[in-house]
Amino acid sequence: MPKSLTKEKKNRVIVTVLGPDKVGIIAGVAQILSNNKVNILDISQTILQEFLAMVLIADMEASEIDLLTLKQELNTLGQEIGVRIDAQHEDAFSYMHRI
Amino acid sequence: MLTMQEIMETINMVQEEKLDIRTITMGISLRDCCDPDPKKAGQKIYDKITRLAENLVPVGEDIAREFGIPIVNKRISVTPISLVGDCAHTEDYVVFAKAMDRAAEEVGVNFIGGFSALVHKGMTGGDTKLIQSIPRALAETERVCASVNVATTKAGINMDAVYLMGKVIRETAEKTRERDGLGCAKLVTFANVPEDNPFMAGAFHGVGEPESVINVGVSGPGVVSRAVSRVKESDFGTLAETIKKTAFKITRMGELVGRSAASRLGLPFGIVDISLAPTPAVGDSVAEILESMGLERCGTHGTTAALALLNDAVKKGGAMASSYVGGLSGAFIPVSEDAGMIRAVEEGALDLNKLEAMTCVCSVGLDMIAVPGDTSAETLAAIIADEAAIGVINQKTTAVRIIPAPGKEVGERVEYGGLLGSAPVMQVHRFSSADFVRRGGRIPAPVHSLSN
């Protein structure tokens, strides 16, 4: 059993933002991550038509909160500024695209 | 490192194309719950299920949130109750169904399977009592599902059991008359039943299984349908390749969720069932996949070939993605649960004969089909016998989940709501099969050396 499948192990998460482009989206997300000691490893973004699609990979190793709490904070921010923000465990992507 | 495209693809599958994990099903052995006193046996059943499955629902919800993929159902399957009840001094097995129902409610699962008997070669006392208790058990409980295996390739078809099931289905419909015969939606008659199927209504925990186990059923007709419509002009090789790759990705999610759930619950991981299971939601339909392949309506000529290609490509992709594929693993074609199937029936493109042909090349069989309320037990039994024959001869699982809708005629509809959907009442043959069905006995097992 890979260690990343167990609940205790804090690990890398993938934060995605989808929605109309606005000022301050990245700043808001980065603020939440930094407040919770989540280290940003990589950011990439693209504009699809008028929509912003941002993907951010972050490390939760040093973080004191769990993924579900982080997810809630990000969801709340998303609702405030009118975009969809989600955080998912990296395994959800790597399992599908990598063997 | 993952690419942006890969990440967006996964997100799209979940948000736009309705990819989900259909069910995490916990199998629980109840073989240590036998007791001569039926009340004590019922209590043991309740205690064991609630003890082992206590954390099933919260763990499922945690995983769904962390991975960001919906897990639609958390369910339980148990040892066939005919085995557990055999030594109890009672004629009435409804007491066990009620214990299962209470336990399911307590732990928060919406269905529990295993009010079952395996009678492909003959019936024990316990089997007979269980089957006779089915109509009341399904009428008096909410969550319990029943199944009976009446045939295998090795044993042939137990026609006594087939006829009895015809009568039981009628009685079950009658007992749940005020809800359009809903009881029949929770009752499956099988040939070659698998012991590790996580999907309801036919799930039970087989005798070769461990004490407790986690099995997972994936889904995703919407994802496959979108992928198929992206290769509209291509040849069959490309089409099959596209479905295969998509099935691979879907199954990987199932494997991840199954292994995570098993690890967190401290149980062994059993299998991923790679069936494409539709829901009544638009865009989550197996019929739609067949239509994206180039058929004007599901049910027209070419449908069986399209379904065969789909089923095989899904299996090939799924088998590469998980080391433990099991259960039913194919495409489901339940009429009431698939918006495209319902439309095809209502427009006259799809009838019972074509559905029967389609069951030759996919899992599982005639599923969630409503027929007129006055359909005789003999006709229902003959429909079951036909399906069982297809399964037995082709060494595959087949099943019948049919609802003689009380008081309804062809053209009317039954409504169940939720995942069970709604079904148009379909025409059955008006010529009798009664003298054939009433012969009794067993249709012998087929010879397999002369295979044509």
Side-chain angles (χ1 to χ4, degrees):
Chain A
M1 179 68 49
K3 211 178 170 196
S4 58
L5 291 182
T6 61
K7 195 177 182 182
E8 300 73 39
K9 169 92 174 157
K10 285 182 180 168
N11 215 315
R12 298 206 300 197
V13 293
I14 301 207
V15 179
T16 50
V17 179
L18 292 169
D21 196 9
K22 284 186 184 158
V23 174
I25 293 178
I26 295 183
V29 172
Q31 188 66 52
I32 288 180
L33 297 181
S34 131
N35 289 349
N36 293 303
K37 295 186 185 142
V38 180
N39 185 29
I40 298 174
L41 301 172
D42 192 16
I43 300 182
S44 58
Q45 69 161 39
T46 179
I47 305 287
L48 303 165
Q49 283 137 23
E50 72 275 26
F51 287 102
L52 169 78
M54 183 189 83
V55 174
L56 183 153
I57 301 176
D59 190 346
M60 292 192 70
E61 200 64 56
S63 170
E64 281 144 18
I65 57 165
D66 62 14
L67 174 52
L68 296 181
T69 318
L70 177 71
K71 198 178 161 93
Q72 264 170 8
E73 285 192 29
L74 290 168
N75 286 161
T76 312
L77 172 71
Q79 277 162 14
E80 280 167 22
I81 55 181
V83 294
R84 185 179 172 127
I85 308 182
D86 209 353
Q88 286 156 264
H89 198 285
E90 189 196 26
D91 281 350
F93 303 92
S94 54
Y95 231 77
M96 182 180 274
H97 297 286
R98 299 280 184 278
I99 300 180
Chain B
M1 191 65 83
L2 290 155
T3 67
M4 180 106 172
Q5 283 72 24
E6 287 168 336
I7 289 170
M8 294 314 291
E9 184 185 357
T10 303
I11 302 242
N12 249 328
M13 280 188 186
V14 174
Q15 291 181 3
E16 302 295 319
E17 299 166 358
K18 300 190 171 64
L19 172 63
D20 59 47
I21 302 298
R22 183 52 44 82
T23 181
I24 298 181
T25 303
M26 179 187 259
I28 299 174
S29 166
L30 296 182
R31 274 149 74 183
D32 54 355
C33 296
C34 305
D35 200 291
D37 178 350
K39 275 200 179 133
K40 278 189 190 157
Q43 191 59 40
K44 285 182 184 175
I45 290 172
Y46 175 85
D47 290 345
K48 185 161 188 191
I49 295 171
T50 49
R51 177 166 53 85
L52 289 181
E54 190 186 1
N55 293 323
L56 174 64
V57 172
V59 161
E61 285 169 357
D62 275 358
I63 293 174
R65 282 198 295 265
E66 280 177 36
F67 293 129
I69 178 159
I71 298 172
V72 181
N73 297 301
K74 276 69 74 178
R75 291 170 171 173
I76 294 169
S77 64
V78 298
T79 306
I81 292 296
S82 67
L83 303 177
V84 185
D86 227 345
C87 76
H89 299 307
T90 177
E91 294 295 311
D92 180 10
Y93 279 19
V94 176
V95 55
F96 305 130
K98 288 189 170 163
M100 289 162 71
D101 200 38
R102 279 202 318 276
E105 184 180 13
E106 174 64 28
V107 300
V109 300
N110 59 354
F111 282 122
I112 179 165
F115 198 76
S116 307
L118 308 175
V119 298
H120 36 272
K121 211 164 183 182
M123 284 188 248
T124 65
D127 293 332
T128 312
K129 290 181 218 167
L130 179 120
I131 293 175
Q132 281 165 350
S133 304
I134 285 176
R136 271 188 55 221
L138 296 180
E140 293 175 22
T141 61
E142 283 295 315
R143 299 165 187 80
V144 173
C145 295
S147 57
V148 177
N149 191 57
V150 295
T152 66
T153 298
K154 296 276 186 200
I157 307 171
N158 180 350
M159 286 299 292
D160 293 324
V162 169
Y163 189 16
L164 181 56
M165 286 311 292
K167 295 176 190 162
V168 165
I169 290 169
R170 273 202 64 87
E171 203 185 324
T172 304
E174 203 48 53
K175 284 222 160 28
T176 49
R177 187 182 187 92
E178 72 291 352
R179 287 182 290 171
D180 279 351
L182 174 68
C184 296
K186 299 182 284 182
L187 172 58
V188 191
T189 311
F190 273 107
N192 289 327
V193 68
E195 297 204 334
D196 53 5
N197 159 32
F199 284 105
M200 297 296 164
F204 67 85
H205 185 72
V207 290
E209 296 286 307
E211 183 68 19
S212 184
V213 70
I214 292 294
N215 295 320
V216 164
V218 299
S219 187
V223 183
V224 175
S225 178
R226 292 289 183 93
V228 168
S229 40
R230 282 195 283 267
V231 291
K232 259 203 157 42
E233 310 282 305
S234 63
D235 72 345
F236 287 110
T238 314
L239 177 61
E241 188 69 16
T242 305
I243 296 171
K244 207 168 75 179
K245 281 182 180 157
T246 311
F248 176 89
K249 290 173 186 168
I250 296 173
T251 309
R252 290 294 290 172
M253 278 308 238
E255 170 101 357
L256 171 65
V257 167
R259 286 191 180 278
S260 304
S263 151
R264 290 178 194 191
L265 290 163
L267 295 176
F269 170 61
I271 54 100
V272 182
D273 185 319
I274 52 176
S275 296
L276 290 179
T279 68
V282 175
D284 204 20
S285 153
V286 169
E288 223 168 79
I289 304 176
L290 304 177
E291 291 172 6
S292 324
M293 286 190 198
L295 300 168
E296 188 181 355
R297 277 292 169 276
C298 173
T300 190
H301 303 295
T303 301
T304 310
L307 185 59
L309 182 153
L310 170 67
N311 208 46
D312 183 61
V314 165
K315 282 182 194 171
K316 284 172 178 161
M320 291 300 287
S322 170
S323 302
Y324 299 100
V325 172
L328 298 164
S329 286
F332 290 165
I333 49 169
V335 173
S336 79
E337 299 170 7
D338 186 316
M341 293 277 173
I342 294 172
R343 181 175 71 166
V345 171
E346 285 177 341
E347 292 182 3
L350 184 61
D351 61 13
L352 266 180
N353 292 332
K354 190 64 182 179
L355 277 166
E356 186 181 316
M358 289 162 73
T359 65
C360 298
V361 299
C362 82
S363 69
V364 67
L366 293 175
D367 198 13
M368 288 303 284
I369 287 161
V371 294
D374 60 2
T375 307
S376 70
E378 287 78 10
T379 296
L380 292 170
I383 292 171
I384 294 170
D386 281 344
E387 272 305 308
I390 290 170
V392 164
I393 297 295
N394 295 307
Q395 307 183 59
K396 72 185 286 292
T397 303
T398 48
V400 174
R401 184 160 53 142
I402 195 165
I403 304 131
K408 303 249 172 169
E409 289 172 20
V410 175
E412 292 185 83
R413 276 172 91 105
V414 292
E415 298 279 350
Y416 299 123
L419 277 178
L420 294 172
S422 71
V425 176
M426 295 174 76
Q427 181 83 51
V428 295
H429 281 284
R430 61 191 170 85
F431 299 101
S432 169
S433 327
D435 289 346
F436 177 74
V437 167
R438 285 187 191 135
R439 282 174 180 272
R442 184 155 52 94
I443 295 181
V447 58
H448 268 299
S449 55
L450 311 171
S451 55
N452 266 308

